[in-house]
Amino acid sequence: DFNRDYLEIFDHRIVHQVGKVLRMRTDDFFRLFDGQQEFQVQIAEINKRRILVQKVQEVKNESEPKT
């Protein structure tokens, strides 16, 4: 659920991928998909156990067909 401006991510696979593999840090941007909507987010805090991201904007995908 991404109805708030901030979201905490505790999934260890995502935390590892973002922090260790991609080596992203505070203030870096990435896109987050919640199953229905895609958002541009900015990392507010990151540590070994969680990532706190701030929603910057919703990304509209114009390439997918409308049903």
Side-chain angles (χ1 to χ4, degrees):
D1 182 27
F2 209 167
N3 293 324
R4 298 178 299 235
D5 289 334
Y6 286 88
L7 177 70
E8 289 183 293
I9 302 170
F10 292 100
D11 185 311
H12 70 278
R13 296 167 297 182
I14 296 171
V15 173
H16 175 78
Q17 181 74 19
V18 171
K20 299 295 182 188
V21 177
L22 298 174
R23 298 177 184 253
M24 299 185 91
R25 301 287 177 239
T26 301
D27 296 328
D28 286 347
F29 293 88
F30 65 96
R31 289 187 177 187
L32 190 62
F33 183 69
D34 74 355
Q36 296 177 358
Q37 297 171 295
E38 186 174 356
F39 298 94
Q40 177 84 12
V41 297
Q42 184 175 20
I43 299 173
E45 295 177 20
I46 187 168
N47 60 43
K48 290 190 276 186
R49 299 184 191 270
R50 78 170 179 121
I51 303 169
L52 178 67
V53 297
Q54 180 179 15
K55 182 170 50 174
V56 176
Q57 68 180 2
E58 183 176 352
V59 177
K60 300 287 185 189
N61 188 345
E62 302 296 333
S63 63
E64 292 193 21
K66 301 198 190 291
T67 56

